C-alpha cells in the first residue's frame, strides 16, 4: 500500500459515508468518473475490493469495512496535525463541522450566522443527526468538531458544557378538551394519559425524557404513533391526531400563529439543558474554540428571548 494517497482516502471515506459515488462526488466537488477512478486506484493499492456493487447500489465489502476504520484514523490524525499547526499560527480560519440533534436545528443556524459575521474566515458545515444516537456516532467517529445536544452521552468520554435551559412541553390543537379552562394543572396532568400521543421515536432524547416523565408521575401514555420528525409530529397534532411532547424550541412559529397551544399540566415545562460537546482527546482548533466560547456566552440570551413569552408563569 505504498502508493496510496490522502486524496484517495478522503474519496473512499466520503463514498463509504454516502454509499453513493454520485453523492460523494457532489460533496467533494468532483465528477463521478473522478471518484470512481480514485476508488479503483485505491483498491488496486490495497489489493482487495472495498465496495460491493450491484447496479447502482453500493455497499462496503468486508475488506472495506475494516479498511474504513484505519482510513478514518489516518484522516483524523491529519486533521489533528492541521489543528496543531493552526494553533501555532494563531489562525481563526478553517472548516468547522458542527453536529446537531434535529431539535437544535431550529436555533443553532441563527447563532452560527451571528458567529460567522464576527469570524468571516471560518467556513461552517452542519451535520444533523437523525436522533441523539446518530449524533453520538458522528461525534465518536470524529466527523464533527463540536456537537449541540441535550442529554450528553454517558457512553462516550467527552466534555459537555451546559449553555442554556431547554424546556419541553405538551402541546395540543386549539379547542382540544385537555385545554379546558376549568382544568387545574393537576387535572391536566392526569388527562394526558387519556388522549392519544404522537411522539418521537425510540433513541431520541425527547422520547427518553417523555418516557421518564410519565414513569415519574405513574402515568401510562397512550402512544398512537411514533415519528422521527418534529415537523411531521406538529402537523399531525394540528390535524387533531393527538397530543405531543416536544421541545419548546421547535414550536415558536406554531404557537405565535395559534395553530398549537401549550397544555398547562402540573410539573411542566420539563426543563433540561442544552450542551455543547466535544471529545477531549481531540485538540480543538482556534476556530472551534472561538465557536465554543461564542455558544457558551451567547446561547442562553438567544434562547431566553425565544422562551420568555411562553414561560412567564412556569409550573413547579
Amino acid at each position: 500500500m505504498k502508493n496510496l494517497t490522502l486524496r484517495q482516502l478522503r474519496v473512499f471515506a466520503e463514498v463509504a459515508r454516502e454509499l453513493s459515488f454520485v453523492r460523494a462526488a457532489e460533496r467533494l466537488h468532483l465528477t463521478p468518473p473522478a471518484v470512481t477512478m480514485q476508488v479503483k486506484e485505491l483498491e488496486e493499492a490495497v489489493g482487495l475490493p472495498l465496495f460491493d456493487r450491484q447496479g447502482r447500489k453500493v455497499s462496503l465489502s468486508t475488506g472495506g469495512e475494516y479498511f474504513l476504520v484505519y482510513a478514518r484514523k489516518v484522516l483524523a490524525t491529519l486533521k489533528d496535525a492541521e489543528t496543531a499547526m493552526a494553533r501555532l499560527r494563531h489562525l481563526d480560519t478553517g472548516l468547522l463541522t458542527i453536529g446537531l440533534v434535529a431539535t437544535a436545528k431550529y436555533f443553532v443556524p441563527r447563532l452560527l450566522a451571528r458567529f460567522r459575521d464576527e469570524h468571516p474566515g471560518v467556513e461552517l458545515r452542519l451535520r444533523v443527526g437523525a436522533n441523539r444516537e446518530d449524533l453520538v456516532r458522528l461525534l465518536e467517529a470524529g466527523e464533527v468538531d463540536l456537537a449541540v445536544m441535550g442529554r450528553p452521552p454517558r457512553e462516550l468520554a467527552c466534555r459537555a458544557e451546559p449553555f442554556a435551559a431547554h424546556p419541553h412541553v405538551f402541546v395540543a390543537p386549539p379547542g382540544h378538551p385537555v385545554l379546558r379552562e376549568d382544568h387545574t394543572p393537576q387535572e391536566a396532568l392526569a388527562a394526558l394519559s387519556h388522549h392519544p400521543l404522537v411522539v418521537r421515536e425510540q433513541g431520541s432524547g425527547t422520547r427518553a425524557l417523555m418516557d421518564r416523565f410519565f414513569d415519574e408521575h405513574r402515568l401510562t401514555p397512550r402512544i398512537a404513533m411514533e415519528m422521527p420528525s418534529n415537523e411531521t409530529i406538529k402537523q399531525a397534532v394540528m390535524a387533531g391526531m393527538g397530543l405531543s411532547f416536544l421541545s419548546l424550541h421547535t414550536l415558536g412559529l406554531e404557537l405565535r400563529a395559534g395553530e398549537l397551544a401549550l397544555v398547562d399540566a402540573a410539573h411542566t415545562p420539563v426543563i433540561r439543558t442544552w450542551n455543547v460537546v466535544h471529545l477531549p482527546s481531540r485538540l480543538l482548533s482556534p476556530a472551534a474554540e472561538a465557536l465554543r466560547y461564542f455558544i457558551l456566552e451567547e446561547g442562553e440570551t438567544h434562547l431566553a428571548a425565544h422562551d420568555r413569552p411562553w414561560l412567564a408563569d412556569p409550573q413547579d
Side-chain angles (χ1 to χ4, degrees):
M1 293 192 288
K2 292 181 180 180
N3 296 324
L4 62 81
T5 66
L6 290 172
R7 181 180 178 86
Q8 291 168 349
L9 292 181
R10 290 192 178 99
V11 169
F12 165 68
E14 200 62 46
V15 176
R17 179 186 293 120
E18 298 291 340
L19 292 179
S20 165
F21 283 73
V22 173
R23 289 197 299 271
E26 291 173 351
R27 289 181 62 89
L28 294 167
H29 305 292
L30 297 172
T31 64
V35 169
T36 300
M37 181 187 70
Q38 293 288 336
V39 171
K40 183 179 179 181
E41 290 178 353
L42 180 60
E43 288 178 325
E44 290 174 355
V46 171
L48 289 170
L50 300 176
F51 294 99
D52 293 326
R53 303 165 177 84
Q54 295 181 349
R56 293 186 177 181
K57 190 174 181 181
V58 177
S59 60
L60 281 165
S61 66
T62 301
E65 291 177 354
Y66 277 96
F67 189 72
L68 180 61
V69 174
Y70 296 100
R72 284 175 171 168
K73 287 181 180 179
V74 171
L75 294 173
T77 300
L78 179 62
K79 186 169 184 179
D80 286 344
E82 292 172 347
T83 296
M85 296 304 102
R87 282 178 171 271
L88 290 175
R89 294 193 303 268
H90 303 288
L91 293 181
D92 191 8
T93 60
L95 170 66
L96 286 183
T97 303
I98 300 95
L100 314 174
V101 289
T103 303
K105 69 184 181 183
Y106 291 89
F107 70 89
V108 168
R110 290 186 176 88
L111 276 177
L112 295 183
R114 290 170 53 193
F115 174 80
R116 191 178 56 186
D117 289 342
E118 297 181 12
H119 304 270
V122 178
E123 182 183 351
L124 300 171
R125 179 182 295 170
L126 293 180
R127 292 287 301 275
V128 181
N131 53 36
R132 178 183 176 278
E133 292 179 348
D134 187 37
L135 181 55
V136 170
R137 285 193 292 270
L138 292 175
L139 192 62
E140 187 174 20
E143 296 187 27
V144 296
D145 299 291
L146 296 170
V148 176
M149 61 197 309
R151 181 166 49 100
R154 294 181 179 178
E155 63 271 37
L156 190 62
C158 63
R159 182 182 183 188
E161 299 171 283
F163 66 87
H166 185 192
H168 289 71
V169 294
F170 286 93
V171 290
H176 192 281
V178 79
L179 301 174
R180 284 170 39 190
E181 291 185 1
D182 60 346
H183 265 169
T184 67
Q186 197 63 43
E187 288 171 334
L189 171 64
L192 292 174
S193 62
H194 301 156
H195 299 284
L197 290 163
V198 183
V199 299
R200 286 294 303 269
E201 78 287 6
Q202 294 285 351
S204 76
T206 301
R207 176 61 180 276
L209 184 58
M210 187 201 78
D211 289 343
R212 193 155 59 248
F213 177 87
F214 277 105
D215 286 343
E216 288 174 356
H217 298 288
R218 299 181 180 180
L219 296 171
T220 302
R222 287 179 54 194
I223 296 176
M225 282 180 285
E226 294 183 347
M227 296 181 179
S229 163
N230 293 320
E231 288 302 313
T232 309
I233 288 173
K234 288 188 288 185
Q235 291 297 324
V237 174
M238 286 188 280
M241 299 177 73
L243 310 179
S244 191
F245 181 77
L246 292 169
S247 163
L248 182 62
H249 296 150
T250 69
L251 297 166
L253 291 175
E254 293 79 11
L255 292 175
R256 284 192 292 272
E259 295 177 331
L260 290 175
L262 299 185
V263 178
D264 184 18
H267 309 291
T268 66
V270 182
I271 305 293
R272 291 297 181 264
T273 59
W274 282 112
N275 293 271
V276 58
V277 181
H278 70 276
L279 298 181
S281 59
R282 298 195 63 189
L283 197 63
L284 289 181
S285 68
E289 282 283 16
L291 177 58
R292 170 185 157 271
Y293 181 79
F294 181 86
I295 292 173
L296 293 174
E297 287 292 304
E298 302 293 333
E300 183 173 17
T301 301
H302 178 78
L303 286 171
H306 171 278
D307 299 345
R308 196 170 294 117
W310 319 113
L311 299 184
D313 184 25
Q315 298 297 320
D316 294 331

